[in-house]
Amino acid sequence: MTSADGADDDHITILGFGSLLSEKSSRTTFPTLKNFRLGRVLDHRRTFAHPASIFFQRNIAKLETLEMSSLSVEYKEGFSMVCSVFEVPNEGLAAADAPGNNFVPSQKFLDREEEFEITKVRYEELATSSSSGEQEINEGVICRRSTDEAYIARWGQERFQKNYLDYGIKTIWEWNEGIRPCPVYLRHCVLAAWSCDSEERWSKDGVGGVCYKSFLDETYLVDRVTTIREYIDQYPEIMATEPPDSLKERYSG
């Protein structure tokens, strides 16, 4: 059976808010995705507010300047942002024993997105509306802000030690100031937002422009005040910070 959001019993609707804003980048993670489009996540704010262990493992984090933050969304009533929306086969992403229509991520999915709460949230379909003219509201799966306590409860102190403490990081989710976006990753996300539409069709008011503007103006630093547009205006050299050769394919939008 197919639901209103385009998913069926064998597919899951994914909402992308950073690197997954481009179809090209999304296909590096979900090569068999279908129906790539845009939506708007409701009552959530997009922030660069936590360090990602993978940035240290790939040697693109800058601990000395605290330029090591990844991206997440957090519940905040009244906020919203443009996201990508697409369906993927449920090939081990949802737990087989999830009750009813509830989404419970599988161990495989949790392991890949280890620091997040993986949950369903509401979003608007930007390209469609109901017969009344109102935007259609559906649900999709997203990676949301979690807590240090939840991470340790799920994975144990030993993994927290290995993935964070050993790199000099004492907390994942308790940052309120200081931490800044990882430059390579921020550039990657900006390029992904720009390239969510083809160069031939790109326009300020089209899909590409809408996605790009949202990322610049509806994404915040850890202070929840400074937008990414303002941050890049202050540090334009970020957009010239290319990834190492071994990561160019993965971190180039």
Side-chain angles (χ1 to χ4, degrees):
M1 182 175 67
T2 301
S3 65
D5 57 9
D8 54 40
D9 293 342
D10 298 319
H11 289 79
I12 293 172
T13 298
I14 300 290
L15 306 180
F17 53 86
S19 62
L20 299 186
L21 288 171
S22 85
E23 184 170 357
K24 171 192 169 188
S25 182
S26 295
R27 287 192 181 278
T28 65
T29 303
F30 300 105
T32 58
L33 71 83
K34 65 177 185 178
N35 198 17
F36 188 91
R37 59 202 188 276
L38 291 186
R40 177 169 286 275
V41 177
L42 304 175
D43 291 325
H44 283 77
R45 178 169 53 195
R46 180 167 45 199
T47 58
F48 279 94
H50 79 282
S53 177
I54 194 67
F55 294 165
F56 289 92
Q57 297 169 35
R58 291 174 174 168
N59 201 30
I60 58 174
K62 296 183 177 182
L63 180 59
E64 64 278 8
T65 58
L66 297 183
E67 292 176 277
M68 57 188 185
S69 178
S70 186
L71 198 56
S72 65
V73 300
E74 58 191 15
Y75 180 79
K76 186 65 175 177
E77 191 173 345
F79 280 75
S80 67
M81 72 278 182
V82 171
C83 65
S84 63
V85 185
F86 53 87
E87 278 70 50
V88 298
N90 180 17
E91 297 173 347
L93 295 180
D97 56 352
N101 292 325
N102 294 331
F103 176 80
V104 178
S106 66
Q107 190 66 28
K108 173 185 174 182
F109 202 173
L110 290 170
D111 196 53
R112 188 169 67 196
E113 306 289 354
E114 65 168 13
E115 72 266 35
F116 297 101
E117 176 195 13
I118 303 174
T119 188
K120 274 190 173 182
V121 300
R122 297 185 312 131
Y123 73 94
E124 289 179 342
E125 294 276 358
L126 291 193
T128 62
S129 61
S130 66
S131 57
S132 67
E134 296 181 355
Q135 294 301 109
E136 187 176 328
I137 307 295
N138 292 307
E139 286 190 330
V141 174
I142 204 166
C143 293
R144 188 162 66 181
R145 177 184 178 88
S146 185
T147 66
D148 290 359
E149 292 77 14
Y151 182 96
I152 294 169
R154 175 178 292 153
W155 303 115
Q157 184 65 36
E158 184 176 346
R159 183 157 170 169
F160 183 65
Q161 177 76 40
K162 176 184 176 183
N163 285 356
Y164 291 94
L165 296 179
D166 286 354
Y167 290 109
I169 304 302
K170 296 181 180 179
T171 177
I172 306 171
W173 294 109
E174 295 178 8
W175 296 83
N176 294 309
E177 60 182 4
I179 193 170
R180 298 163 59 190
C182 169
V184 166
Y185 180 70
L186 172 55
R187 174 182 177 271
H188 175 38
C189 291
V190 172
L191 293 176
W194 175 274
S195 61
C196 79
D197 202 5
S198 65
E199 288 188 21
E200 297 79 16
R201 295 183 304 186
W202 204 99
S203 71
K204 183 177 69 172
D205 298 320
V207 170
V210 167
C211 185
Y212 183 63
K213 182 180 186 302
S214 172
F215 189 81
L216 294 181
D217 296 332
E218 296 177 328
T219 309
Y220 298 88
L221 299 189
V222 68
D223 63 8
R224 275 76 173 179
V225 174
T226 307
T227 67
I228 287 303
R229 185 186 296 275
E230 293 167 336
Y231 184 69
I232 291 177
D233 283 348
Q234 185 177 0
Y235 300 101
E237 65 274 13
I238 287 171
M239 295 308 298
T241 306
E242 295 193 2
D245 288 344
S246 60
L247 297 174
K248 277 191 175 180
E249 183 65 25
R250 176 173 288 273
Y251 282 90
S252 295

